[in-house]
Amino acid sequence: MTSPSPLASRSVALVTLGCTRNEVDSEELAGRLQAEGWTLVDDAAEADVAVVNTCGFVEQAKKDSIDALLEASDLKEDGRTQAVVAVGCLAERYGKDLAESLPEADAVLGFDSYQDMSTHLRTILGGGHVASHTPGDRRRLLPLTPAARQQEAARVALPGHGATLEPYAAGAGPAPASGPRVVRARLDGRPWAPLKIASGCDRRCTFCAIPMFRGAFVSRPPADVLAEARWLATQGVKELFLVSENSTSYGKDLGDLGLLEKLLPELTAVEGIERVRVSYLQPAEIRPGLLEAMAGTPGVVPYYDISFQHASERLLRRMRRFGSRPAFLDLLARVRATAPEAGIRCNVIVGFPGETEEDVEELEAFLTEARLDVVGVFGYSDEDGTEAQGYGEKLPASVVADRLDRVSRLVEELNAQRAEERVGEVVEVLVEEIDEDGRLVGRAAFQGPDVDGVTYVGGGGGPDPEVGDVVAAVVVATEGIDLVAERR
C-alpha cells in the first residue's frame, strides 16, 4: 500500500442499501470518518468519494447493490466524485471476485477495513492502491462455544458495535459522562433509529448465507448498547429499533439468556426515549419470560417480528428449522394473550427445493389462520455456499414464480383484512413527516419502520404536531395495509 497524500478538503457520501443493520454500520463508518476530519454529504455527486454499503442477502439485493455502484461510478465521468468504494455484505462476501468483475469500483473492502477506512480513502484519493478484501468464513474467527467468544470478540471486526476501543472522537457527538464512548453520526433526521444489540448468527438454516459473512453470534455488551441509546436520545431520537440477526439469542455468550428482558426496562428509562421496538425473533427461541417482558415493560411497543419462513413441518426440517403450523399458531396465541393489540410480521419462502403442493397449502392455511399484520413473501433462489444449493428436487423457475405470485396475492388480501380489523382502535402515532396535503404521516406502535405500512393522521384541534411528536388518534379507514386515523 502506498502512503496517502495529504488532502486539503475531503468529503464523503455513504450510500446504504439493504437492512437497518446496514444503516447502523453506515452511521458508525460516518462517525469514524467525521472524527478523522471528513465532511459528510448526502449527495454522492457532491462528494470526493462515494462509499456504497452493499447488501448481499438475495439475488435482487445483490443486483441493486451492483446498480448502485455503477451509478456512483458514472459520477466520476463529469461530477466531483473521484472514487467509489464498495463495503458491506456484498463486498465482505465476494471481495476480490467482485473487484475483478466490477472494475468501476476503486476498491472492495471488507469489515476488517472499517476501523482504518479514513486511511484507505485517503490512499485511494491520493492515487494509491488498496488491496481488495479476500473473503472467508467469518464463523471461524471466534470460538465455537458462545461462552468463550466475548474475550476474543475485541480482535474481530464487528460493524455497528460502537467503536468503543478507541478514544472518543469529538466530531461524533457528545461523550457520555462515563462508560463506553460512542462513535456514530446520524445520516438522517428521522425520529427513530436502529440500534444494534448483536451481530452474526449460530443457526444453520440451509437457505441462508448470512452466518458465513456476518460470523458467529456475538452479543453487544449492555453498557455499550445503553451508551449508544443515550447518545441517540441527544440526537432527537424518540424510538429505538433494536436490530440483530437473532435478537432472541441475546446474552447467551454473556452467560445470561434472559439478558434482553433485563435490558429492555433500562432502555425505556433513557431520558427522551419514548419507544423501544425489538426485531427479528426466532420462533424456536422465544421464551415465556421474553413475551412477558415485552408485554409488561412500559415503552416497549407490542411489535413481534417473528421469522417463520414456512409452516410445513416437513419443509421446515429440510430448511433445518423447527416449528409447524400448530406450533406457530400456539405461539401466536401466547403472544396475543400477553399483548392483544400486537402487531405481528414475518417473512416466508416459497419454492424451496422439494416443496410440494401440499406444503404450499399448509403455508396458505397457516397464513389464513394467523391474522398477521404484514408478511414478506420471497421466492427461493440458490445462495452461494449454502447447503440448499446442493439439494436436488429444485423447482422450475416458472413454478417458483407462480407460487410467489399466488401466495403474495393471498397475503395482500389477508393483510388488508387485518388492517380493517384495526378500524376503531385508538393508536399512538410517532409523526415522521407531514405530507403535501398536511396530513401527519407516521407509525402506530404495532407498525415497524419502512416495510410495515404507515398511519395517516388528520383532523384535530390545538397546536399542530411536529415531526417526532407522538399523537393519539382513532383509526377510521384503511388503504391496503396503511391506516387512516383522526386525531383525538
Side-chain angles (χ1 to χ4, degrees):
M1 179 186 298
T2 61
S3 299
S5 60
L7 299 173
S9 176
R10 301 167 293 180
S11 60
V12 60
L14 286 106
V15 180
T16 307
L17 294 96
C19 65
T20 48
R21 298 185 292 274
N22 258 15
E23 292 181 18
V24 177
D25 297 351
S26 285
E27 292 199 344
E28 184 186 297
L29 274 175
R32 289 179 181 275
L33 292 170
Q34 189 177 64
E36 293 283 343
W38 290 78
T39 299
L40 304 177
V41 298
D42 296 330
D43 187 353
E46 301 299 322
D48 295 317
V49 58
V51 176
V52 181
N53 190 352
T54 60
C55 178
F57 179 44
V58 294
E59 284 304 315
Q60 185 58 52
K62 296 175 191 176
K63 182 180 183 303
D64 292 343
S65 294
I66 296 295
D67 289 345
L69 286 163
L70 292 173
E71 183 178 340
S73 295
D74 288 343
L75 299 174
K76 293 190 289 185
E77 297 294 325
D78 50 14
R80 172 172 175 166
T81 308
Q82 301 171 49
V84 173
V85 174
V87 299
C89 293
L90 192 69
E92 175 66 36
R93 187 174 180 184
Y94 294 104
K96 291 181 176 179
D97 290 341
L98 177 62
E100 291 175 3
S101 63
L102 194 72
E104 292 86 351
D106 295 278
V108 176
L109 305 180
F111 299 147
D112 294 330
S113 297
Y114 283 21
Q115 188 163 352
D116 298 319
M117 188 60 64
S118 177
T119 299
H120 295 323
L121 299 187
R122 282 186 284 142
T123 296
I124 293 166
L125 288 179
H129 173 71
V130 177
S132 292
H133 168 62
T134 300
D137 189 337
R138 293 192 71 84
R139 291 174 295 189
R140 298 173 181 167
L141 298 179
L142 288 169
L144 182 64
T145 306
R149 288 180 193 159
Q150 284 293 322
Q151 60 189 11
E152 299 289 331
R155 63 177 180 79
V156 175
L158 296 170
H161 275 227
T164 58
L165 298 179
E166 55 193 43
Y168 173 67
S178 62
R181 306 302 190 181
V182 176
V183 175
R184 179 172 177 175
R186 296 302 316 279
L187 294 175
D188 57 61
R190 300 177 306 194
W192 69 273
L195 174 59
K196 191 172 285 192
I197 63 170
S199 291
C201 184
D202 288 339
R203 304 191 71 86
R204 293 296 180 264
C205 303
T206 60
F207 55 83
C208 184
I210 289 175
M212 286 184 284
F213 58 84
R214 278 291 183 179
F217 183 88
V218 179
S219 300
R220 192 175 175 196
D224 293 18
V225 176
L226 286 165
E228 191 161 314
R230 296 186 185 105
W231 179 81
L232 287 168
T234 69
Q235 305 301 299
V237 170
K238 300 295 182 66
E239 178 181 304
L240 300 174
F241 187 38
L242 307 187
V243 298
S244 71
E245 275 76 29
N246 179 5
S247 297
T248 35
S249 280
Y250 183 73
K252 72 176 186 179
D253 52 325
L254 293 170
D256 186 356
L257 196 52
L259 195 55
L260 182 56
E261 291 96 302
K262 299 169 185 173
L263 180 62
L264 290 176
E266 294 190 73
L267 289 170
T268 59
V270 172
E271 185 177 356
I273 298 301
E274 300 192 29
R275 289 179 172 177
V276 173
R277 186 179 304 275
V278 183
S279 73
Y280 216 78
L281 306 173
Q282 283 288 346
E285 298 181 37
I286 295 178
R287 307 170 296 280
L290 178 59
L291 293 181
E292 292 168 6
M294 290 177 66
T297 304
V300 176
V301 295
Y303 176 78
Y304 299 80
D305 173 18
I306 305 176
S307 173
F308 290 125
Q309 303 300 350
H310 212 282
S312 162
E313 185 171 6
R314 184 192 72 84
L315 204 67
L316 284 165
R317 297 303 176 272
R318 193 167 167 83
M319 293 177 171
R320 295 201 186 279
R321 296 181 65 85
F322 298 98
S324 63
R325 173 183 163 194
F328 291 163
L329 290 174
D330 176 70
L331 173 59
L332 293 177
R334 287 187 283 125
V335 168
R336 290 177 171 130
T338 59
E341 72 281 27
I344 306 172
R345 79 170 324 274
C346 79
N347 293 325
V348 297
I349 298 170
V350 296
F352 190 79
E355 183 185 61
T356 65
E357 176 63 25
E358 290 73 22
D359 294 325
V360 180
E361 291 173 356
E362 184 77 351
L363 175 61
E364 290 174 324
F366 165 71
L367 294 172
T368 301
E369 295 178 70
R371 294 174 49 246
L372 301 170
D373 291 80
V374 179
V375 179
V377 185
F378 295 87
Y380 172 81
S381 62
D382 283 337
E383 286 296 314
D384 295 336
T386 61
E387 184 177 343
Q389 185 183 28
Y391 282 0
E393 300 182 81
K394 297 285 176 62
L395 301 179
S398 60
V399 173
V400 176
D402 286 345
R403 291 181 178 178
L404 176 63
D405 178 66
R406 165 182 163 184
V407 176
S408 295
R409 284 187 285 108
L410 173 64
V411 160
E412 183 177 3
E413 179 181 350
L414 292 173
N415 291 167
Q417 290 175 4
R418 176 63 180 137
E420 289 172 1
E421 294 177 10
R422 299 282 189 185
V423 173
E425 285 190 18
V426 176
V427 294
E428 299 286 327
V429 179
L430 176 65
V431 179
E432 297 185 23
E433 61 177 293
I434 301 173
D435 69 14
E436 58 186 14
D437 296 323
R439 290 189 304 181
L440 309 176
V441 184
R443 291 177 292 108
F446 49 76
Q447 292 174 311
D450 293 338
V451 294
D452 289 350
V454 299
T455 299
Y456 299 100
V457 182
D464 292 332
E466 299 178 349
V467 171
D469 288 344
V470 177
V471 299
V474 178
V475 180
V476 296
T478 64
E479 297 177 1
I481 64 171
D482 296 331
L483 305 178
V484 180
E486 294 290 332
R487 287 172 60 193
R488 298 186 72 188

